[in-house]
Amino acid sequence: MKDYICLATFTYPYEYFVLKLKFEDAGLRYYFQNETLIGLLPLSSVAFGGIRLMVHPADSSKAKQIIDSLNDKSSHLRIV
């Protein structure tokens, strides 16, 4: 997991819920660093550097496409 790339950082878990579902559907290898820690101490997210989306390098281009599709203004699903 040391080779994984950080593609995005979030403050709270609800911000990436739809993204997590899309990644699971696509079969991408990913994890959210600090997810559990910030779930236990939500007001300390900034102190820990937020929740980092870590993606396997081989899946990074597909992951970027999914992120871009959710940031598209014409999409009915969005990343908060």
Side-chain angles (χ1 to χ4, degrees):
M1 289 198 178
K2 68 179 183 170
D3 295 331
Y4 279 52
I5 302 167
C6 179
L7 288 186
T9 304
F10 303 94
T11 305
Y12 301 107
Y14 70 84
E15 295 175 326
Y16 59 81
F17 185 74
V18 171
L19 182 64
K20 191 174 187 177
L21 294 174
K22 294 286 238 176
F23 278 15
E24 287 175 8
D25 285 344
L28 301 180
R29 292 168 285 184
Y30 73 96
Y31 70 95
F32 287 97
Q33 190 176 36
N34 295 335
E35 181 178 29
T36 303
L37 180 63
I38 293 172
L40 294 171
L41 302 166
L43 298 178
S44 61
S45 180
V46 175
F48 294 119
I51 301 169
R52 293 180 201 94
L53 169 61
M54 306 298 286
V55 178
H56 191 275
D59 296 330
S60 65
S61 63
K62 179 66 176 169
K64 288 176 185 176
Q65 288 175 354
I66 292 172
I67 292 170
D68 290 343
S69 73
L70 291 174
N71 284 329
D72 185 10
K73 295 199 185 296
S74 65
S75 175
H76 65 283
L77 296 174
R78 297 242 176 107
I79 298 174
V80 175

